[in-house]
Amino acid sequence: MEALAISLVNAVPLLAGVPLWTVTLLLMVAVAAVILVFALTFEGVGSLVLRKVAGDIQARIGPNRVGPNGMLQFLADGVKLVLKEDIIPANADRLLFKLAPYFVFVGSFAAFVVVPFGVGLIAADLNIGIYYVMAVTSLVVIGVLLAGWASNNKWALLGGMRAAAQIVSYEIPVGMALIPAVLIAGSLSLQDIVRSQGGLLGIFGWNLFHNPFTFFSFFLYFTAAQAETNQTPFDLPEAESELVSGYNVEYSGIRFGLFFLAEFGDMFIVAALATACFLGGWNVPFFHVGTLPWIWGNLLSLGVFLTKAFAMVLIMMWVRWTLPRLRVDQLMRMSWKYLVPLTFVNLLGVSLWLLVFRGKGIPGMIASLFG
Amino acid sequence: MTIRTDALPTQEMTINMGPQHPSTHGVLRVILTTDGEVVTRAVPDMGYLHRGLEKIGERVTYAQYMPFTDRLDYLAAMNCNCAWAWTVEKLAKIEVPARAEYLRVIVCELNRISSHLIAFGSYTADMGAFTPFLYAIRERERVNDLFEMLCGNRLTYNYARVGGVSGDAPPGFLEKTKEFLDYFEPKLDEYNNLISYNKIFVHRLANVAVIPAEEAVAYGLTGPNLRGSGVPFDLRKDEPYSVYPKFDFKVCVGTGERGTLGDCFDRYMVRINEMRESVKIVRQAVAQIPDGPVRAKVPRLFKPPVGEAYFRSECPRGETGIYLISDGTVNPLRLKIRTGSFVTMNIFEKVTRGLMIADVVAVIGSFDIILPEIDR
Amino acid sequence: MEAQVLFDTLKGKFGDAVVELQGEGCSPAFVVVAPASVQEIARFLRDDPALSFDSLMCLSGVDYKEKFAVAYHLHSMKHRHAIGMKAFLPRETPSLPTVDDVWPAANFHEREAFDLFGIVFEGSKDLRRILLPEDWEGHPLRKDYKYPDFYHGIKV
């Protein structure tokens, strides 16, 4: 960020007199605002798309009243959520009750900071990118647990407990399934991981096709991440038909809205990580975006990245409206008995592969055969 | 599942499931005592919808009681209508024209289809898959359209009469029914492909709340819940009434195909298969229906002879038995309605012991209870 | 099995505890029994291999104005035959032994008869009101039931 600030000061003579830290701070605020706007827009439009997709899958129309073809439904929903009365149950722990949605929202939103949207479009290219995402999304579990506890409602408490158990269990397979990408790139930074999948191999440069273990790893990650973010069929913490609505049952108005937005935010983060770590991120096949002018390169790579990420989000929606829900013991069994051992075996496999073949993937080897 | 008591001392939690809960299928309240997620005791508490239908029956005439039977089981009002008509006819020994009996069988079986559709749909919704529910509703709408054509109503039909039915089928009704059957039959395979054999769905249902056959009989389970335990007992076959003996259909029983015989999956599957049998019956009835009057001459204020009759008929939720006592006046002396759901709830506490909370939902759904029938 | 044959069997076994056969106008016919011996007769009906009435279809309380009755409708899955059994009770102290350990299905029906008629089933596992609230006064299906004006201050 500071480097960007220096270049900005150099480029705009008017800023010469302003202290560097002010410029940096302002830049940070501006970038945060841009990301927040993106996140909120995505979450709004995402909710509309979700409902439209649901309508399509369920042989009905979906929202079609607000605006042309129901396009403004998400605005109406947003306005409704903001204007609705914010009810705090009489026996709730008021402080924790108010605090919980922020934990959840911040945990989900903070992960956007390291998402590599384009060749130069990343809010902060942290050298611990993946590690950072895993860390901040863990904040969600605290928020959910707090919400369940503070509501003073037994259904909410059960939901909160389920969420805690579930998120903690599934963090392990999620982390382990992402490590192959880290091993290949040799870096935790998401930008480095994306760059490692570039080159002239096209889509065969993707980590997905690097070797059989990474191919498998992608599906393990996608499954475990769905569970970690409480998406159907793993939406046990908010199981409508069992726990009424789970941890957020007592929430209304904008506080409920924050949970709701965080859910969509999580959805995007899962899709974005899958894209960045396995599906080549913003890399344009057979083409080096770095060679284009800055603006065009970034726009093109942004488009590529978002296309892939949204496709993943659509797959998640599709799964969501198709599958029934697991039971809590089956969910735990799936994590500890299947996903955790599999991801570890997979990790071992990838490590051995990299050791034996000196870091080369199958497509790379085939390409080198033909010179 | 065993609960360890030697480790950390844990406290049991009492949770109210209902009367407002999305999966109790109405205003059922279940008082759950749980140890974490494991239910140690689930006591059903009924009566939130008690309207005193039996008391009302003692104050109205036999014909006037017909609309109240609609409210007995609003998802299968035709079956309840006909059950009442058959009971009164049995008591008063009234001969019903053949065409009326055929029409009754047609509407009863159509209503069984629509009721099982709701059972199927809401069950999948309980299991977390909302999509099949809307598919089921889509098909049910067509049944409702047929009924609207027949009697003008879509939910509470008030179609049967003592001595027949309220009116003959309008022109085109039988053709429309045939059209519906052709449309509907392939849909059953679609449901099976969509959800019935889904791995998660099967895992949620198989081996959950197993009811062995002897227990099912001892607890008086009837209908699909009894047949789910592998007992081939269907009143339409075993104690035939109306014109059912003329039709060829088979009694669907649970087979334990995915787990133990008598588990939730078997009860679910019996309903799916029964819809196919109902389609068969309606097809035959539509083909065989004779011409003629649809209503016998029964005086408006008719007084059946002194006597008692117990008539049972196969409703979608099990046997609906009506015990009717006449003292020779225009009002019944006593009428008791024994409904499938009410009797089924008796075994609820027994089968839910030691299950998880999510399984309690699965059990309620697999019993396909409906609250107005329990509370009356 | 013919109702008359069954009646004779029961009469031979239980003597005076079996009062009469109520066949006229009743379908199925009722064997009227003395209330005190309901349980043993029920057990015999269930366990005798020739009868094996293994399922209790219905159990109803009845108010015949001058007396109460409990009517049992029995069915045999094995032999596919049905019979009614009835016990008349005095209005003042309507009570008789429970049959819920013979047929577990009886429990809910007995609770209902207790709730709506005030018939006490002695030895029942769990005899509570089932449809009405615990603190409801009176038994609504009795013919002399007076409707209350208020319930907890709510106009009925």
Side-chain angles (χ1 to χ4, degrees):
Chain A
M1 203 55 71
E2 214 170 63
L4 187 63
I6 291 168
S7 62
L8 196 70
V9 170
N10 288 340
V12 186
L14 218 65
L15 292 173
V18 185
L20 191 61
W21 64 267
T22 323
V23 179
T24 315
L25 191 69
L26 283 175
L27 259 175
M28 281 177 175
V29 172
V31 169
V34 167
I35 290 182
L36 185 62
V37 167
F38 169 78
L40 290 178
T41 319
F42 167 76
E43 282 149 11
V45 176
S47 75
L48 177 73
V49 173
L50 179 78
R51 293 175 64 180
K52 279 291 190 188
V53 169
D56 209 36
I57 290 178
Q58 296 171 346
R60 58 191 175 87
I61 298 167
N64 66 343
R65 294 286 130 175
V66 190
N69 215 1
M71 304 265 260
L72 300 178
Q73 183 67 46
F74 71 95
L75 285 181
D77 286 348
V79 170
K80 183 198 77 177
L81 279 178
V82 173
L83 295 183
K84 239 182 165 178
E85 188 187 352
D86 174 32
I87 300 166
I88 299 180
N91 289 328
D93 188 325
R94 294 182 72 88
L95 177 69
L96 297 184
F97 188 84
K98 287 179 179 169
L99 206 58
Y102 296 109
F103 270 109
V104 175
F105 185 70
V106 167
S108 144
F109 176 63
F112 276 79
V113 170
V114 292
V115 173
F117 286 100
V119 60
L121 294 177
I122 183 164
D125 184 11
L126 299 180
N127 54 3
I128 51 162
I130 286 188
Y131 190 65
Y132 167 83
V133 173
M134 299 300 300
V136 292
T137 48
S138 298
L139 212 55
V140 172
V141 66
I142 299 174
V144 168
L145 198 53
L146 276 186
W149 173 256
S151 300
N152 198 12
N153 176 318
K154 285 167 183 167
W155 295 116
L157 180 63
L158 274 175
M161 291 298 168
R162 277 183 179 190
Q166 180 177 339
I167 297 176
V168 170
S169 317
Y170 276 89
E171 232 158 42
I172 300 163
V174 165
M176 288 300 139
L178 282 176
I179 287 185
V182 176
L183 286 180
I184 291 166
S187 163
L188 279 166
S189 153
L190 279 162
Q191 276 302 48
D192 288 346
I193 290 174
V194 173
R195 270 188 220 111
S196 77
Q197 302 172 62
L200 295 172
L201 285 169
I203 65 166
F204 294 104
W206 295 0
N207 279 343
L208 180 65
F209 302 112
H210 189 275
N211 63 48
F213 295 105
T214 49
F215 186 77
F216 199 41
S217 197
F218 167 72
F219 294 99
L220 286 175
Y221 166 72
F222 198 57
T223 314
Q226 294 241 40
E228 201 214 345
T229 51
N230 308 335
Q231 301 288 340
T232 316
F234 310 106
D235 63 338
L236 286 102
E238 43 193 307
E240 162 79 18
S241 56
E242 295 155 26
L243 301 186
V244 194
S245 187
Y247 60 86
N248 60 25
V249 61
E250 296 287 3
Y251 282 87
S252 63
I254 188 63
R255 284 183 217 286
F256 171 75
L258 288 179
F259 282 117
F260 185 73
L261 291 178
E263 195 186 319
F264 279 95
D266 281 343
M267 228 165 155
F268 183 78
I269 292 299
V270 170
L273 277 187
T275 309
C277 292
F278 295 101
L279 302 181
W282 40 256
N283 278 314
V284 187
F286 310 111
F287 189 74
H288 214 298
V289 271
T291 56
L292 286 175
W294 191 85
I295 181 90
W296 295 115
N298 271 321
L299 276 182
L300 188 62
S301 54
L302 177 70
V304 169
F305 181 82
L306 287 185
T307 312
K308 288 176 185 170
F310 288 163
M312 296 303 293
V313 169
L314 281 177
I315 291 176
M316 289 166 85
M317 289 176 179
W318 178 24
V319 169
R320 177 184 183 137
W321 294 116
T322 313
L323 293 178
R325 186 184 302 122
L326 289 159
R327 201 170 57 205
V328 68
D329 57 327
Q330 295 167 344
L331 183 84
M332 288 296 143
R333 197 177 316 138
M334 183 172 147
S335 171
W336 293 108
K337 283 182 80 171
Y338 302 107
L339 282 178
V340 170
L342 276 178
T343 45
F344 272 98
V345 167
N346 212 41
L347 180 60
L348 198 67
V350 173
S351 318
L352 283 176
W353 182 283
L354 293 178
L355 195 68
V356 173
F357 298 103
R358 309 244 163 84
K360 271 204 168 149
I362 291 175
M365 286 191 276
I366 294 172
S368 60
L369 279 183
F370 298 99
Chain B
M1 188 161 294
T2 52
I3 298 160
R4 284 184 63 186
T5 48
D6 55 330
L8 271 176
T10 51
Q11 223 177 346
E12 288 197 332
M13 179 158 72
T14 306
I15 318 178
N16 253 321
M17 189 167 169
Q20 305 97 348
H21 187 281
S23 313
T24 52
H25 293 218
V27 284
L28 173 69
R29 175 178 169 223
V30 182
I31 304 160
L32 294 174
T33 313
T34 67
D35 181 34
E37 287 263 354
V38 181
V39 174
T40 50
R41 193 152 184 245
V43 183
D45 181 14
M46 290 103 72
Y48 286 87
L49 208 59
H50 181 58
R51 295 146 296 170
L53 279 179
E54 292 173 5
K55 186 78 175 173
I56 292 171
E58 295 171 12
R59 303 199 149 199
V60 297
T61 66
Y62 291 88
Q64 279 173 338
Y65 194 64
M66 188 60 76
F68 290 102
T69 59
D70 285 332
R71 277 79 184 166
L72 194 58
D73 175 356
Y74 51 75
L75 291 180
M78 282 293 188
N79 297 68
C80 297
N81 279 177
C82 294
W84 173 247
W86 281 320
T87 312
V88 179
E89 285 151 12
K90 182 179 181 185
L91 181 71
K93 301 195 176 58
I94 297 168
E95 279 295 314
V96 182
R99 189 173 172 84
E101 286 290 10
Y102 272 90
L103 279 173
R104 281 180 187 177
V105 167
I106 290 171
V107 295
C108 278
E109 294 308 315
L110 283 176
N111 211 166
R112 190 185 311 278
I113 290 172
S114 89
S115 169
H116 282 350
L117 275 175
I118 292 289
F120 151 76
S122 58
Y123 198 26
T124 55
D126 287 348
M127 294 297 104
F130 193 67
T131 304
F133 180 63
L134 290 148
Y135 283 40
I137 290 282
R138 180 183 65 186
E139 267 72 81
R140 180 174 179 265
E141 278 304 293
R142 314 233 344 193
V143 183
N144 284 355
D145 289 343
L146 285 175
F147 286 155
E148 189 179 5
M149 192 175 171
L150 189 66
C151 60
N153 295 325
R154 294 172 68 86
L155 189 70
T156 52
Y157 310 110
N158 189 18
Y159 179 60
R161 291 286 181 274
V162 176
V165 291
S166 71
D168 200 351
F173 173 77
L174 294 175
E175 289 71 44
K176 276 250 160 63
T177 308
K178 261 190 252 168
E179 240 170 69
F180 166 74
L181 297 177
D182 293 338
Y183 161 82
F184 176 69
E185 218 173 354
K187 296 281 176 203
L188 284 168
D189 295 322
E190 192 183 310
Y191 299 155
N192 282 344
N193 288 336
L194 182 64
I195 187 95
S196 297
Y197 294 111
N198 179 297
K199 195 123 191 155
I200 301 176
F201 191 66
V202 171
H203 271 278
R204 282 294 306 275
L205 305 190
N207 299 322
V208 172
V210 176
I211 305 177
E214 314 84 66
E215 202 167 86
V217 173
Y219 272 88
L221 297 195
T222 44
N225 296 335
L226 177 67
R227 293 192 282 278
S229 297
V231 183
F233 181 73
D234 189 321
L235 289 166
R236 293 172 294 174
K237 253 304 196 264
D238 295 297
E239 224 166 85
Y241 52 96
S242 188
V243 287
Y244 278 113
K246 294 184 182 163
F247 305 127
D248 167 45
F249 63 99
K250 74 170 201 279
V251 177
C252 306
V253 290
T255 52
E257 53 181 315
R258 285 292 192 275
T260 322
L261 180 65
D263 58 7
C264 288
F265 187 76
D266 278 345
R267 289 192 281 277
Y268 164 84
M269 226 41 217
V270 164
R271 290 199 180 84
I272 296 277
N273 293 333
E274 255 179 31
M275 286 195 260
R276 194 166 276 134
E277 297 306 312
S278 290
V279 168
K280 257 199 225 162
I281 297 176
V282 180
R283 259 192 225 288
Q284 296 170 47
V286 169
Q288 295 173 14
I289 187 165
D291 284 331
V294 293
R295 207 162 161 186
K297 285 247 178 311
V298 177
R300 199 156 284 243
L301 261 182
F302 104 108
K303 297 178 184 169
V306 180
E308 309 189 358
Y310 182 80
F311 180 83
R312 37 189 206 154
S313 63
E314 185 73 31
C315 282
R317 284 168 185 77
E319 158 194 334
T320 292
I322 302 182
Y323 176 38
L324 185 59
I325 306 178
S326 152
D327 55 356
T329 60
V330 290
N331 306 329
L333 176 85
R334 163 90 168 109
L335 99 95
K336 150 106 187 183
I337 307 166
R338 170 254 196 253
T339 54
S341 303
F342 179 76
V343 176
T344 307
M345 281 317 282
N346 203 357
I347 202 172
F348 182 74
E349 193 182 330
K350 188 170 189 320
V351 296
T352 47
R353 200 162 293 153
L355 297 181
M356 322 238 8
I357 291 179
D359 290 333
V360 173
V361 173
V363 172
I364 295 176
S366 81
F367 283 160
D368 185 26
I369 52 165
I370 187 163
L371 269 293
E373 206 182 74
I374 294 177
D375 297 342
R376 278 159 294 146
Chain C
M1 184 177 274
E2 285 290 307
Q4 187 63 47
V5 181
L6 193 142
F7 175 74
D8 293 338
T9 319
L10 286 180
K11 189 82 185 168
K13 178 103 172 100
F14 292 98
D16 286 346
V18 181
V19 183
E20 56 165 334
L21 181 69
Q22 199 180 38
E24 191 68 20
C26 291
S27 101
F30 281 105
V31 178
V32 179
V33 302
S37 43
V38 157
Q39 202 177 34
E40 25 172 345
I41 296 176
R43 188 157 283 130
F44 174 74
L45 285 171
R46 185 194 65 178
D47 293 338
D48 190 80
L51 307 173
S52 67
F53 286 102
D54 49 5
S55 107
L56 175 76
M57 293 187 278
C58 186
L59 185 158
S60 347
V62 187
D63 184 352
Y64 282 106
K65 292 189 180 137
E66 63 281 357
K67 59 196 167 187
F68 283 149
V70 175
Y72 304 80
H73 287 93
L74 311 176
H75 177 258
S76 165
M77 285 282 172
K78 196 166 143 208
H79 303 302
R80 300 283 150 100
H81 57 196
I83 189 72
M85 180 169 80
K86 202 187 267 182
F88 286 104
L89 307 167
R91 274 197 88 93
E92 300 75 44
T93 51
S95 84
L96 77 170
T98 176
V99 292
D100 67 2
D101 48 355
V102 184
W103 299 289
N107 181 250
F108 265 32
H109 291 299
E110 287 182 352
R111 278 177 70 183
E112 189 187 304
F114 168 72
D115 192 358
L116 303 177
F117 285 97
I119 297 170
V120 178
F121 294 86
E122 289 151 16
S124 172
K125 275 184 287 196
D126 178 21
L127 197 64
R128 289 176 292 132
R129 281 191 183 269
I130 184 166
L131 294 177
L132 300 179
E134 298 274 315
D135 55 353
W136 191 267
E137 281 173 21
H139 302 283
L141 275 181
R142 290 186 175 188
K143 294 282 181 192
D144 54 359
Y145 178 70
K146 291 273 182 296
Y147 289 91
D149 291 332
F150 290 96
Y151 173 69
H152 284 297
I154 308 162
K155 185 108 179 51
V156 174

